[in-house]
Structures are given as C-alpha cells and as structure tokens.
Amino acid sequence: MPRARNLVRFACVCSAAFLLGTTAARQKAGPRKTSGAEPPQVNFVDIARKAGLTVKTEDGGEKAKKYIVETTGSGAAFFDYDNDGWPDIFLVNGTTLEGFPKGQEPVSHLYHNNHDGTFTDVTQKAGLSLTGWGQGVCAGDYDNDGRTDLFVTYWGHSVLLHNNGDGTFSDVTKKAGLWRNDVHWETGCAFVDYDRDGRVDLFVSQYVDLDLANTPVPGSGNNCIWKGIPVMCGPRGLKGTHSELFHNNGDGTFTDVSEKSGVAKTPAYYCFTALTGDFDNDGWPDIFVSCDSTPSMLFHNNHDGTFKEIGVEAGLAFNGDGREQAGMGAHATDYDGDGWLDIIKTNFSDDTATLYHNNSDGTFTDATDEAGLGANTQSLGWGTLFVDVDNDGWPDIFMANGHVYPEVDGKDFSTSFRERKTLYWNRRNGKFRDISLAAGSGVTALYNGHGVAAADFDNDGAVEILVNNSHDAPSLLKNYGEHQNWLLVKLTGTRSNRDAIGARVTVRANGHQQTQEVRSGGGYISQTDFRLHFGLGEASKADVIEIRWPSGGAVERRENAPVNQILRIKEGSGPAKR
C-alpha cells in the first residue's frame, strides 16, 4: 500500500539473465470482423441486484480508518460446488472495529447458481456463516473426492472448508492440521501440487504481524501521513511476515513445510496475492507473490520439494525503474501468443500497474509503458484479471480499484475513495488500449473494489466478472457488447489432482495460439472458475488442443473441435501428443 512520505527507492536493479531450466439473458451479437486497430463495442452492465447479490461487504470504517486491517477488502470466488456445470459464487466478508450485536454479525455468503441468470443465498443451509476479518479465498479438491473445497484466509484464524457433497461444508481446519492458536494475518492462498504427486498442497501468503494494542494511530508518525493528511499507519513501520507452505499428506491432513521448502527463508515482507504458474515452461509450478511496499517474490520450483526465491534475478521484484512497488493483485496468462505466461500486477495510486513480459529465458521485462499501460497513475488497483471480453482470442486486462483512505474524499486530490474500474483492450501487437470510459456503466460506476473473479456463469460463451466491493454490495458485470466464437475447456484429473490445477492448455485456431493454466487463487486473493475460456474470433473450429497434465507432464491432444461448446476432457481419455 502507501509508501507514505519516506518512500524508499532502490537504485537500479540489474536483473541477471537467469535461465531456470526449462441463459438466455445475454443480448448476443454475431461474429464480427475486427481489424485489431479498433476495439469492438463493449458494454458492461452491473446485474448483481437483478441476479440476487445484494449483501454489503463490511471493511472497517467507511468515512475514516484507524488501522490498516480496515483497508484491504475481501476476495471473491466462482466455483462449482455441486458439480452441476454452473459456477456458483462465494463472497468473503469482513467486519468493523466496533463489532456487531450477537446474531447480527456480517457473514461470508455462498450463492447457488439457479441456471437462469440468478443466484440463491444458501449460506445458512450450507453451514458457511463465517464471521470475522475475512480476507481471501481459494478453491481446490484437496482430498480428490470429486468435490471442490475452499480455504478462506483471515486476520485471525483461517479455515479449511470440506465440501460434503450434499450442499453443506464442514470446518476441518483442526482435523487437517492447519489450525494455529496464535493470530495470523493471512491474505492470499493457492492450492498447488508443487511436487506433482497428484494431491494439491496449500500455499498461503501473509501481510502484517498485526497487534492493534501496539499499532500507532493516524497522524502519529511519518508512516501515518499521506499528502499532508493524517491516515492509518502502515504497512511501513509495522512488522512483516513470511509465506507458508503446507504439504498434502494424502490422508486429509497437511504438514507445515514452510521452512523445509524454503518459502519462509526470505526477509519479512508485506504480501497479498499468491499466483501460481509454470513461468519457465519446465513442467513444474512456480509461485509469484505480489508484495506491498517491499519487493515482490518469485519462488522457483527446484523439482525436489524445495523452492528458491529469485524475484530479483527474474526481474519481478521491482519495476523497470528498479524500485519496489505497493503490489496488490496479480494474474498471469500468455497475452501475446508466444507460449510463455506473462504477469500483470496492480499497485498503489501515484504509480502504474505493472505488466511483466516473459522473455522465455527465465527473466521478465517491465513492458508497462511499451504496452500502453503507463498513463494511468490515479487509480489504486486491487483485483486484476486477463480476460477476453470480446472473444477475439487475445486476452484483455481488467482491474478493480479503490483507495485505502476514505479521508481523500472532499480534498483537492485527483482521486476518490470509490473509483471506477479499468479495462484495457488487447490490440494484438503487444499493446493495449484503455477503453474504460467507453466500456459501459458497470466499469465507470464508482466503487471501492477489491477481489475479482471471472466465469461464464450462464454458459453462453461470454465471461462475466464478479467484484467484491467494500461498503457496498458486489458487482456482477455482464458484457452486452459484441462477441465472437468461443470454447470452454473443463478438465478432470485422474492421475493428476481432480480439479486439474496446474494443467496447461494450448489452443491453436486460424494460425493463432493461446496458452492458459488451470489455477487456484490469483486476481486479488480470489478464485476464478476452473474452466478455461478461449475466445476463438472468427474460427469455425479449434484446430489443435493440447493438454499438459500436472502429474508427470503427460500431453494429450484433440483436433478439429467445434466452436461454441463446453468441452469436457478427462485425463487419459484422449490420444497422446504425436
């Protein structure tokens, strides 16, 4: 978050060239020819209220914030908890310093997809009335029983929620060996099979070692003043933390391997989003962590149960000017079709978001200015996603924004507490165009947005975007603009973990290649649908689909798949790559 007035600048950081080793409600338009020079018609409308999403998310004080825990917002998830093929919604909720009367506490909410564009609140029935300072959420079938489970992070005690298969969930945190008696501020999380044994493990990032009794109050020091106004203190001046890794034992329990694996052997930083991905194309998942006011980190998988933190060497610790940023959200995909995962990261205001291009040699280059993302320094970014909003086959960039200081309102600043969202359209040449102001009221409306998740929740071929807004009901954004052809790929692991987390899918159509991975976590401490959405433009078929499964790296191949369908693929059911 803020660098306050004593911004620490790092001198030029020279990144070494480090080789890692190798339904019906949508008003659809038909396929549209686009030259690549001009964006299509985009019209995002917030349909949350119509869809039944009306509960406000609490996040401390709305007019002033005394402590940093009131500023970080909460995550959101699209996941299919009942395996009916229609993504459901989970929204993490927070609380306030003052608290609420017993029985009136805000709770996190589970919404069941009704298959008609609406959702039903099934929170109480599902046993998910969780209270407290909720932060993030990630999904994964940790016991491979065919039902997706949830992990929800807290300032306090995070919880593992087992999916019972009957519409209910059970808190199995203690049974699974994940309970700690002391308070932790855990933020981002991701299920990831880091040792490729077919069972997903759990990575958790932490933010601040927070003790309110010993935390200074607004205006009491250099880290508690922003542009001359007293504000909550931190994170600078507060105690940092380390990342955590828990190994799945295969019997419903986990073992803490944070030290053994090396992920805890780093300086104490302030970290948010955990983003997994095979960033060096060696077949093993790595972990990027966006950190606030400290260098971001990249944990390279050593293939032996350990990781090495190489953020500086890989060019991901700092921006292109060689300084740390206030990293919040992060997401990854191959935005330019070269077969390597790139990374987008959101940051504090008076800075830009950062786009890291993968150089295909174990390093990344800050391509923010070159790509056209360098002009916006007013927004304070949180959740971000690569998402193909028009199905042209080129991933666009979405960001949810909102300031941490309500105190900015009414002052002569170029920002406000509630901010509009940002949408960059992919121009197909390594550059993006900011089309936010022409993208519809769902984008331009002012909210204090945090967690973001994406899914084609009504199965019509176009992706919707969910945003968890602090102090307001969530936003559910539906694009009533133009779309082209599409493909949804749903993978089920057999030898690999059941949700196929870590699987890589490459689709080739009309001479264009796209690469995505099935991922737990990301965005901003949130969870996007496990089904992979590919826009196919004017292509009448996907010429080739290649799936690299996460356990052992076996590659299967499909050819000539018709467009505009949900393609379900079970591991081992198709021909191996020739």
Side-chain angles (χ1 to χ4, degrees), residues 51-335:
L53 309 178
T54 59
V55 177
K56 180 174 76 171
T57 294
E58 298 289 348
D59 187 26
E62 186 173 354
K63 301 300 182 183
K65 295 185 183 291
K66 186 176 182 181
Y67 296 117
I68 194 170
V69 71
E70 302 178 78
T71 67
T72 54
S74 299
F78 271 119
F79 78 119
D80 184 3
Y81 76 88
D82 56 354
N83 289 336
D84 65 353
W86 296 76
D88 310 295
I89 286 174
F90 183 78
L91 290 163
V92 184
N93 212 333
T95 186
T96 63
L97 295 173
E98 299 78 15
F100 292 81
K102 186 173 178 56
Q104 299 179 29
E105 303 94 340
V107 300
S108 298
H109 286 267
L110 177 67
Y111 294 92
H112 178 259
N113 191 326
N114 297 326
H115 310 180
D116 62 359
T118 69
F119 294 81
T120 296
D121 190 335
V122 294
T123 306
Q124 187 172 0
K125 177 182 177 181
L128 289 179
S129 299
L130 308 174
T131 62
W133 288 101
Q135 298 293 285
V137 57
C138 57
D141 182 1
Y142 75 90
D143 55 355
N144 283 339
D145 65 355
R147 303 184 292 267
T148 302
D149 312 296
L150 289 179
F151 187 76
V152 184
T153 60
Y154 277 82
W155 175 51
H157 304 283
S158 300
V159 295
L160 178 63
L161 300 165
H162 179 260
N163 187 332
N164 299 321
D166 59 1
T168 69
F169 290 77
S170 296
D171 183 344
V172 296
T173 313
K174 293 182 178 179
K175 180 181 177 181
L178 295 173
W179 176 266
R180 269 114 29 107
N181 291 324
D182 52 336
V183 169
H184 287 247
W185 189 350
E186 296 176 326
T187 49
C189 62
F191 287 99
V192 54
D193 184 6
Y194 73 89
D195 55 357
R196 306 198 316 184
D197 64 355
R199 301 184 295 266
V200 287
D201 314 293
L202 179 63
F203 181 92
V204 183
S205 54
Q206 297 191 81
Y207 188 44
V208 172
D209 186 357
L210 186 66
D211 176 10
L212 294 189
N214 295 297
T215 300
V217 296
S220 60
N222 287 339
N223 296 314
C224 315
I225 296 173
W226 187 75
K227 295 188 176 181
I229 61 174
V231 295
M232 62 82 192
C233 305
R236 293 195 182 279
L238 304 179
K239 188 176 180 180
T241 58
H242 299 86
S243 299
E244 304 167 294
L245 183 64
F246 301 92
H247 180 260
N248 190 327
N249 300 321
D251 59 0
T253 68
F254 292 81
T255 296
D256 188 341
V257 294
S258 304
E259 290 289 339
K260 178 181 177 181
S261 67
V263 303
K265 296 179 180 179
T266 65
Y269 290 159
Y270 316 115
C271 295
F272 281 123
T273 302
L275 178 71
T276 65
D278 180 7
F279 296 111
D280 59 347
N281 286 6
D282 66 353
W284 295 76
D286 310 300
I287 305 169
F288 173 78
V289 186
S290 63
C291 298
D292 179 3
S293 303
T294 52
S296 291
M297 297 185 288
L298 177 63
F299 291 103
H300 173 247
N301 193 323
N302 295 327
H303 311 177
D304 60 2
T306 68
F307 290 82
K308 181 182 179 182
E309 201 287 296
I310 61 162
V312 173
E313 295 96 320
L316 289 171
F318 312 104
N319 69 359
D321 294 329
R323 60 181 174 84
E324 90 293 347
Q325 296 175 287
M328 312 295 194
H331 201 238
T333 200
D334 174 16
Y335 73 81

Side-chain angles (χ1 to χ4, degrees), residues 33 43 145 267 285 322 363 367 384 406 459 483 502 525 556:
K33 293 183 179 181
N43 182 25
D145 65 355
T363 70
T384 185
N459 290 335
H483 301 93
I525 60 175
E556 298 180 23

Side-chain angles (χ1 to χ4, degrees), residues 509-526:
N510 273 3
H512 176 54
Q513 171 182 280
Q514 301 179 62
T515 300
Q516 297 184 42
E517 289 189 5
V518 180
R519 178 178 292 118
S520 172
Y524 170 71
I525 60 175
S526 292

